[in-house]
Amino acid sequence: YRSTISSPKTPRPATHVPQRTNTMVDVHKKKGANPGVVGLAGFAMTTMLLQFHNLGLCSAGPVLGCALIYGGAAQLIAGFQEFSLGNNFGYSAFVSYGSFWIAFGTILFLNASGIYTSDDQDIGCFLLVWGFYTFLLFVNSMRIHTAMAITFLLLTTGFFGLTAAHLGHPEMVVPSAWVLIFCALSAWYMMAAAILEQTFEEPVLPLGKPWISKDMARACLHGLHSHLAAHSLGINHTNAGRRTEQGQEDPERGLGALSHAASDPKRGKAAPPPATPSA
């Protein structure tokens, strides 16, 4: 039998715990790492390799391997981590471009194996729709900082340049490749800025200011809404005027036509009165 009343515990002597220095391990324990450093690195390296291939410096083998693993799977993982942080821009960009590289690597594999070949027009259409998506992200990137805006401006230009190269303008391959090489360097710059800022606990590489301020964005949106509203109102007034003119010029097509159609829907005009039987 043990008593349910516990005896008071004697306090243990306090032991001295040495204070550790602020290392990278301690920083990661305090808060999670930035998934953008992996997403940007995977995007930049795969983009760089593809442009080396477009310039004739390497075969499609390294591009395929990097597109499936680093540019594809690693970017997808980074994008899913951006989702947990509530970052819509990073979530959309990393998941989408990770999927892009997996899809592009699949196209390369299918072409090499002969299972299903895609010609230049197919690749051009594939790059065209990604150019439209990239342009939407470029508009958003102008509200982040200069480095992000430059990266997506170059990426948009490169997508449309390679689209033109595959749709009948092969002379656009080389200039588009150089544009995308600078795009990859810009993405690596942002990756290095994020890593150095955490290492030195202060910003090291400047990223620049946003290209569009909040007031400018609100003014642009207000102007766009006003223009669309005025355009829609003008169309409504034009259509109403046309209907009025048609009703005045040709009553059969105006209100008179409606009454006639109601009296005889099959013929669209008033039915003749019944004939009076002759005596």
Side-chain angles (χ1 to χ4, degrees), residues 197-267:
E197 181 177 357
Q198 189 178 54
T199 304
F200 292 95
E201 298 182 351
E202 62 180 0
V204 177
L205 298 178
L207 297 175
K209 298 180 179 180
W211 286 5
I212 299 179
S213 63
K214 288 185 178 180
D215 295 336
M216 185 184 300
R218 290 172 182 173
C220 292
L221 290 176
H222 180 72
L224 179 61
H225 292 164
S226 301
H227 177 74
L228 293 177
H231 183 68
S232 176
L233 186 61
I235 292 177
N236 293 335
H237 283 314
T238 302
N239 293 336
R242 290 177 179 176
R243 287 193 296 267
T244 303
E245 293 176 359
Q246 291 175 358
Q248 293 176 354
E249 295 175 359
D250 190 1
E252 293 294 330
R253 299 179 59 185
L255 296 177
L258 297 177
S259 61
H260 294 164
S263 59
D264 188 3
K266 295 183 180 180
R267 301 180 59 184

Side-chain angles (χ1 to χ4, degrees), residues 100-112:
F100 164 82
W101 284 117
I102 293 176
F104 188 77
T106 303
I107 293 175
L108 293 179
F109 173 77
L110 293 177
N111 282 346

